[in-house]
Amino acid sequence: MNKFSKTLPLLTAGLLTGSLLLSGCSTKSPEQASAPSAEQQDTTQAASLQINDPWAKAADKGMSAAFGTLRNTGQQPVELVKVTEEQHRSPVQLHEMTGSGTEMTMKEHQGPVEIKPGAEVELVPGGMHFMYMDLAKPLVASETSTLTLHFADGSSKAVDFPIRNYSGAKERYEDHAGMEDKHGNGEHGGH
Amino acid sequence: MAEQQPTVPSRRLVLGGSAAAALSGALVGFGAGRLDAPASAAAEPAQDPSDPADLSPYGAYQRGILEEPQTHGIFLGLDIQWPKAKDERRDRLRSLLRMLGEDAARLMSGDGVLADSEPEMASARGRLSITVGLSRDAAAQAKSTADLSMLEPLPEFSGDKLEPRFGQADLLVQFCGDDPTALAHALRAVRKNLTGLATVRFEQHGFTTPPGQAEHPHAFRNLFGQLDGIANPRTTAREGAVFGHGDEQSWLPGGTVLVLRRIRMDLERWDEVDRPGRDFALGRRQSDGSPLSGQHPDDPVDLSATTELGLPVIAGNAHVALAKPVQAAETMWRRGFSYTDGGESGLLFACFQRDARTAFVPVQRRLAASDAMNQWITHTGSGIYGILPGMSQEAQLGAALFAE
Ligand code: HEM
Ligand SMILES: [Cu+2]
């Protein structure tokens, strides 16, 4: 199936599996959209998506993660298909967690992430997150990392993620494709 | 003086305690322009900047300066780990201050910081304030037009026994609040965020008296048992002494200068001194803080008052006689905290002023030379910091340093 590759974009646009069913993320009571007006149809998915409290975990090299709350403020579903980062030159994936308690591992989420109108997806340590796969430059606390979120309608949005020290988010990385984890201990990078 | 009656029409700025007395006497160095209060001040009572409705993180000034001191105060001194490349240092300072400002804004709003593992501990109740300042050398990295001569290191004073561990840091963060748990959380959150960017030189904890439990609305009992803070400037006089006026601003408009001294107090030897000796050394009574020249704590310190024998009532080398400003530019706003630390007791003496060269420095020169209280106190730590102007949702903490 989907082979993990650092060079492939995070998510392949395409199959939509209806509502999001992912461990560690909460999808709050979506308010169903009424018939969209012409105005609303003009609104891009990028414009509808609001990100609250974004932040990324400081790391010298290797892997790290970014978090925040994605909220669809629009009347139409939003589909996040890919995330890119230029500054620190790392491929970025969307990860989800499997398992429970201290036995959790993370893996790449398959397919786009759909957020219904009024709904939220929380990216949190121990839950869903954006994953820097191989940092070419360190994520220095107090600085920011700009992630570009790409949506199914072709729109995109650059969001500054303030970088902070954090010693949690050390989940094990499980590579379903069976590739060797070249990052050694299979943990998020950092300190 | 007019201080207790702010509604009395007066073209003078209202000065507290002895600062007001200084005004009525010699006015050396006090620009005439500053005597002119806005016309409206005569009609309406001036808004008291020391008594804000809340400690909103935003405003012209940072919080934790003009407000009456909270019950607990912590001074965190850090040395910045600058990037090796000199051309990256300005950006590092800017991002570090942005982070500190964001942390302060969130914590003072009762929220956890980003990446907070214990956001439930955050609480803005208890007047939490976080106040940030820089040493001259740290501020110089911004290459701004700020007047860094105001931040030049303090001269040596006689009797100083300064220890480097309580000495000048690059970065000072003052945490104040009435709720020690929220305060501990704020301190930890900020320290954690600064890991890898700065190393801690000192973390000095102090305390005053909880609100509502003080005997005097503007003073607390220090560890000698004295009421400390009575003659401090109040309301608009405090604001003027701290931030300046019009074209006489501090090192940055909206900023001020903090002098922090760690002063050890020898309680064992103070125990040997009986009441008259204590009151003589201070020039005020330990009982209720009243000056020896008066009956009530808020009576003026009158250095010309004499006994029937013609001797001064307040000795010339009494602490208040020497500390009292001889000109308005010497006025400082003292906002210190007592400390106890492993059997040692003392005062984290903190004072804010527009320019320490005309306030703390001359006053401390007089005190160091002949203060009668010197036999029981020793200065062991010292630093001078440029406190940054306030921030807004649009302008980050320290924005003025980076204005192009
Ligand atoms: C452990 C050291 C110190 C103790 C225990 C102490 C205590 C006091 C007390 C009890 C008062 C009278 C009440 C009041 O008006 O606040 C006072 C006044 C004052 N002190 Fe200190 N003080 C200390 C150090 C200093 C230092 C280092 C300075 C500044 C260089 C200073 C400046 C002043 C000033 C300006 C006043 C008001 C004088 C007036 O206008 O009447 N004090 N201090
Ligand atoms: Cu991951």
Side-chain angles (χ1 to χ4, degrees):
Chain A
M1 290 268 306
N2 242 22
K3 282 211 164 188
F4 159 61
S5 157
K6 291 195 293 153
T7 52
L8 276 184
L10 154 65
L11 300 161
T12 326
L15 297 176
L16 244 191
T17 50
S19 78
L20 198 64
L21 283 173
L22 294 164
S23 66
C25 80
S26 76
T27 309
K28 289 180 184 160
S29 55
E31 277 165 43
Q32 268 317 323
S34 47
S37 68
E39 225 174 37
Q40 283 158 350
Q41 276 167 342
D42 286 347
T43 309
T44 63
Q45 295 189 5
S48 297
L49 192 86
Q50 189 184 66
I51 304 205
N52 292 324
D53 288 351
W55 63 279
K57 177 182 156 162
D60 292 336
K61 57 182 185 332
M63 296 171 145
S64 193
F67 309 97
T69 303
L70 313 182
R71 181 177 171 78
N72 181 355
T73 62
Q75 309 288 324
Q76 303 293 324
V78 163
E79 289 166 42
L80 175 65
V81 295
K82 167 170 92 155
V83 180
T84 54
E85 210 273 4
E86 312 258 297
Q87 244 175 319
H88 302 83
R89 300 198 299 278
S90 172
V92 177
Q93 299 183 346
L94 185 89
H95 278 188
E96 62 194 39
M97 302 301 299
T98 57
S100 62
T102 53
E103 296 298 303
M104 306 237 298
T105 52
M106 57 189 178
K107 62 173 200 222
E108 187 172 4
H109 171 71
Q110 305 299 312
V113 174
E114 187 198 343
I115 310 169
K116 294 207 159 137
E120 277 181 6
V121 171
E122 274 186 69
L123 308 179
V124 290
M128 243 179 130
H129 53 272
F130 295 139
M131 186 90 191
Y132 298 82
M133 298 308 293
D134 191 8
L135 290 161
K137 287 175 69 188
L139 293 172
V140 177
S142 84
E143 295 180 356
T144 54
S145 161
T146 308
L147 294 182
T148 305
L149 279 50
H150 303 264
F151 300 93
D153 64 354
S155 64
S156 66
K157 183 184 199 109
V159 181
D160 283 346
F161 282 65
I163 302 166
R164 295 291 186 261
N165 291 312
Y166 186 73
S167 38
K170 289 195 196 303
E171 293 85 8
R172 293 198 58 76
Y173 180 56
E174 172 189 305
D175 180 359
H176 277 211
M179 269 175 70
E180 271 294 297
D181 173 22
K182 61 171 284 204
H183 307 284
N185 60 7
E187 292 185 349
H188 281 269
H191 305 281
Chain B
M1 294 239 354
E3 192 228 315
Q4 277 85 17
Q5 304 124 19
T7 49
V8 169
S10 165
R11 299 192 70 234
R12 274 186 185 164
L13 285 177
V14 183
L15 282 178
S18 303
L23 235 188
S24 63
L27 282 170
V28 196
F30 197 56
R34 284 196 272 154
L35 292 174
D36 290 343
S40 63
E44 306 160 28
Q47 199 210 333
D48 184 351
S50 62
D51 184 27
D54 62 34
L55 293 192
S56 148
Y58 304 112
Y61 312 134
Q62 287 192 72
R63 301 303 185 183
I65 303 172
L66 289 180
E67 297 86 16
E68 294 297 327
Q70 295 94 325
T71 316
H72 302 272
I74 301 172
F75 296 91
L76 180 68
L78 304 113
D79 294 329
I80 298 172
Q81 293 165 273
W82 297 106
K84 282 196 195 71
K86 286 211 167 108
D87 59 347
E88 290 175 14
R89 296 184 180 174
R90 185 172 187 265
D91 283 345
R92 173 60 60 84
L93 183 64
R94 192 205 311 240
S95 69
L96 195 150
L97 292 176
R98 186 191 303 124
M99 177 173 74
L100 274 172
E102 287 169 7
D103 288 352
R106 296 179 69 101
L107 291 163
M108 289 170 66
S109 308
D111 297 325
V113 297
L114 291 176
D116 201 326
S117 304
E118 295 90 14
E120 298 83 0
M121 288 172 77
S123 168
R125 292 187 306 269
R127 301 184 292 160
L128 181 71
S129 66
I130 296 173
T131 318
V132 179
L134 297 171
S135 71
R136 178 194 59 180
D137 294 352
Q141 298 291 348
K143 307 194 172 17
S144 73
T145 55
D147 182 0
L148 298 184
S149 68
M150 289 215 194
L151 307 182
E152 72 190 23
L154 296 171
E156 239 177 77
F157 298 100
S158 59
D160 278 0
K161 295 267 175 344
L162 303 183
E163 299 176 31
R165 63 186 172 129
F166 300 125
Q168 182 73 49
D170 293 334
L171 171 68
L172 184 95
V173 189
Q174 176 195 258
F175 299 80
C176 299
D178 296 323
D179 174 351
T181 302
L183 203 62
H185 168 261
L187 173 70
R188 165 110 164 89
V190 169
R191 279 192 67 153
K192 197 153 69 172
N193 273 350
L194 287 169
T195 310
L197 301 172
T199 53
V200 172
R201 177 179 288 269
F202 57 75
E203 186 190 300
Q204 306 191 63
H205 290 236
F207 54 87
T208 59
T209 302
Q213 288 179 37
E215 301 162 66
H216 187 283
H218 301 286
F220 68 101
R221 288 272 168 196
N222 66 27
L223 297 181
F224 278 164
Q226 304 159 328
L227 267 177
D228 196 335
I230 299 170
N232 248 332
R234 297 173 197 170
T235 65
T236 50
R238 182 179 302 172
E239 189 176 9
V242 170
F243 294 105
H245 310 256
D247 52 7
E248 289 199 322
Q249 301 282 333
S250 190
W251 72 292
L252 272 178
T256 178
V257 176
L258 167 68
V259 171
L260 176 64
R261 304 279 288 187
R262 181 182 177 94
I263 310 178
R264 195 168 64 218
M265 294 161 55
D266 188 342
L267 300 193
E268 279 65 43
R269 294 207 35 243
W270 182 247
D271 283 344
E272 296 166 7
V273 188
D274 38 6
R275 214 38 93 87
R278 291 180 171 207
D279 293 356
F280 183 84
L282 178 63
R284 286 180 179 268
R285 297 181 185 93
Q286 183 175 322
S287 55
D288 63 356
S290 57
L292 299 181
S293 59
Q295 302 308 317
H296 185 268
D298 285 313
D299 283 347
V301 169
D302 180 0
L303 299 179
S304 61
T306 52
T307 64
E308 284 161 11
L309 297 174
L311 298 170
V313 173
I314 298 176
N317 66 338
H319 181 72
V320 299
L322 293 166
K324 193 172 145 148
V326 297
Q327 58 182 64
E330 284 190 359
T331 309
M332 65 185 90
W333 155 232
R334 290 168 290 131
R335 197 177 191 279
F337 297 85
S338 297
Y339 75 86
T340 57
D341 186 358
E344 177 185 317
S345 299
L347 179 68
L348 301 176
F349 175 90
C351 68
F352 296 93
Q353 61 248 286
R354 182 182 86 87
D355 187 349
R357 294 170 305 183
T358 64
F360 177 83
V361 172
V363 173
Q364 177 55 20
R365 275 225 173 88
R366 292 198 296 269
L367 293 174
S370 42
D371 186 358
M373 282 193 350
N374 281 347
Q375 24 181 335
W376 302 284
I377 65 180
T378 312
H379 290 239
T380 62
S382 179
I384 178 168
Y385 301 92
I387 301 295
L388 295 162
M391 56 182 176
S392 67
Q393 254 128 338
E394 293 73 37
Q396 74 157 80
L397 180 65
L401 277 179
F402 301 97
E404 263 14 27

